[in-house]
Amino acid sequence: MTKILMLSVRDDEKAAIKAWEKRNQIAVTTVPWELHPETASKVAGFDGLVVQQRSKIEAEVYPLLKAAGLKQVTTRTAGYDMVDVKAAVANGLVVTNVPAYSPRSVAELALAHTMRLIRNLEIFDKRMEKQDFRWVGLQAAEIHSLTIGIIGAGRIGATSAQIFNALGANVIAYDVQEREELKSILTYKRKEEVLAQADVICLHVDLNPTSVKLIDEKALSLMKPTAFLVNECRGPVVDTEALITALEHKQLAGAALDTLTGEENFFNFNLEGKKLPSQQLERLRSFDNVILTPHVGFYTNIAVKNMVDISLDDVVTILHGGRSEHQVS
């Protein structure tokens, strides 16, 4: 009988897991811990493995998985940089991810962040806390009067473009691959043109060697001082230090960040009353025009169910000798 081990399972995933078990008549064992050298021995006796973690899987883990008889590692996330794909392949492991658990989920957060920024809601919230009820100087812009710049018009970026277009905004985009079917809702431009012309820049690229610090000091200098930056993809895409400097010098109007470099050290932890482990995080929190959310773009009812279903379906496909369309190895 097929046995699957699913790691780092949260309570909100368990209903979807049980429903999948019932549909497929396959046992899924869930545990709260991550995959590291000290836990790798616990995978023995299982046929399939599903992980979800932001910290790296160490090199010494892969031979242990091979020795345990495993044939695959599936991450139920879009990003898979926590997996050393070369090391996995060298140990006979197929690696899969879930590249499109719910583009709408992330795109809707991009919209929510954009609306909070252009309506100055973060600033108003902080004024309300101090009983400062003045609104002069915080005039908002209506979304249909703005140009939205999409960097990375793939699954999520295209969905964001559709939402902003439906609200009447002018949408421009940069992507290395231009899709003909999107040209009715957006205009493709060079990256430098998108940065210079947009009132809001929404980042929707994947993390790879070419996208690390894609938004650096030079890129930020091209943006309007009245423009906003919204990052819903991966933290290292933005040079955080350069962003902080730009905010300090009022080179842009504000930012909304759902992901940060080093977030595995603080996001999804309760650090109330404790010293933060990142000086950059402390500095970002000091700005009244910066919105921070703890990487929750994926966190909706539909997205969580899709992450569970797609990852488990892929495990079964590979164990039965098939090839998943989501293989990254």
Side-chain angles (χ1 to χ4, degrees):
M1 182 178 178
T2 301
K3 295 169 61 181
I4 299 174
L5 178 64
M6 184 173 275
L7 279 59
S8 309
V9 173
R10 306 180 309 272
D11 287 343
D12 57 84
E13 297 177 292
K14 291 180 179 178
I17 294 168
K18 288 182 179 180
W20 187 93
E21 283 183 297
K22 185 175 181 180
R23 289 196 307 272
N24 292 275
Q25 295 299 297
I26 295 176
V28 179
T29 298
T30 63
V31 295
W33 38 266
E34 290 190 343
L35 183 60
H36 294 296
E38 63 272 18
T39 58
S41 62
K42 297 180 181 181
V43 308
F46 291 94
D47 306 296
L49 183 65
V50 180
V51 303
Q52 183 182 41
Q53 60 189 68
R54 291 178 184 151
S55 54
K56 297 279 188 182
I57 298 174
E58 295 85 349
E60 56 265 42
V61 169
Y62 301 98
L64 298 175
L65 300 183
K66 179 181 180 180
L70 287 169
K71 303 297 183 185
Q72 55 68 230
V73 176
T74 290
T75 176
R76 57 189 188 278
T77 57
Y80 54 91
D81 51 298
M82 74 293 291
V83 180
D84 184 332
V85 177
K86 289 184 179 179
V89 171
N91 285 277
L93 300 165
V94 174
V95 180
T96 65
N97 70 334
V98 183
Y101 41 82
S102 177
R104 183 94 188 184
S105 173
V106 182
E108 287 186 1
L109 183 61
L111 172 63
H113 276 160
T114 297
M115 295 302 293
R116 282 191 63 81
L117 287 170
I118 66 175
R119 295 308 298 249
N120 300 304
L121 294 182
E122 198 75 1
I123 300 174
F124 276 122
D125 283 349
K126 290 176 180 179
R127 285 191 181 183
M128 296 299 103
E129 290 176 5
K130 298 184 294 185
Q131 298 181 197
D132 180 353
F133 301 107
R134 295 172 298 167
W135 46 260
V136 173
L138 294 179
Q139 185 182 78
E142 296 184 20
I143 192 73
H144 62 89
S145 69
L146 301 179
T147 294
I148 307 297
I150 306 289
I151 306 289
R155 296 180 183 91
I156 297 172
T159 305
S160 285
Q162 290 167 349
I163 291 173
F164 285 116
N165 173 261
L167 292 171
N170 174 43
V171 182
I172 58 178
Y174 166 75
D175 198 288
V176 293
Q177 293 183 325
E178 297 185 5
R179 294 162 55 186
E180 195 65 34
E181 68 271 21
L182 296 180
K183 291 184 178 179
S184 62
I185 62 170
L186 60 80
T187 301
Y188 284 106
K189 293 179 178 284
R190 293 185 301 110
K191 182 182 71 175
E192 292 76 12
E193 291 177 310
V194 173
L195 289 167
Q197 296 174 19
D199 299 298
V200 181
I201 295 291
C202 292
L203 304 177
H204 294 301
V205 301
D206 61 355
L207 183 61
N208 60 65
T210 66
S211 65
V212 173
K213 294 188 178 180
L214 182 69
I215 304 301
D216 57 9
E217 180 181 1
K218 181 180 178 181
L220 291 164
S221 72
L222 295 174
M223 293 175 61
K224 301 176 183 178
T226 56
F228 298 98
L229 179 69
V230 176
N231 185 12
E232 311 294 0
C233 54
R234 303 303 296 275
V237 171
V238 176
D239 182 335
T240 307
E241 198 62 36
L243 174 61
I244 291 171
T245 299
L247 289 165
E248 288 174 339
H249 291 85
K250 302 189 184 305
Q251 292 175 341
L252 67 161
L257 310 169
D258 187 48
T259 176
L260 291 169
T261 298
E263 65 183 48
E264 65 274 8
N265 297 311
F266 41 83
F267 280 177
N268 207 27
F269 293 100
N270 182 1
L271 301 179
E272 188 174 357
K274 299 178 182 179
K275 181 177 175 57
L276 294 178
S278 166
Q279 186 181 46
Q280 288 182 337
L281 178 59
E282 289 183 346
R283 291 163 70 190
L284 286 168
R285 291 182 71 245
S286 71
F287 293 105
D288 61 5
N289 58 343
V290 171
I291 300 169
L292 298 173
T293 49
H295 208 144
V296 293
F298 79 98
Y299 199 43
T300 65
N301 54 342
I302 293 173
V304 169
K305 180 180 184 300
N306 287 343
M307 293 168 86
V308 167
D309 289 349
I310 294 170
S311 62
L312 289 171
D313 287 347
D314 280 348
V315 172
V316 173
T317 295
I318 293 165
L319 292 182
H320 289 173
R323 177 180 174 84
S324 163
E325 63 180 308
H326 308 128
Q327 288 183 209
V328 298
S329 52

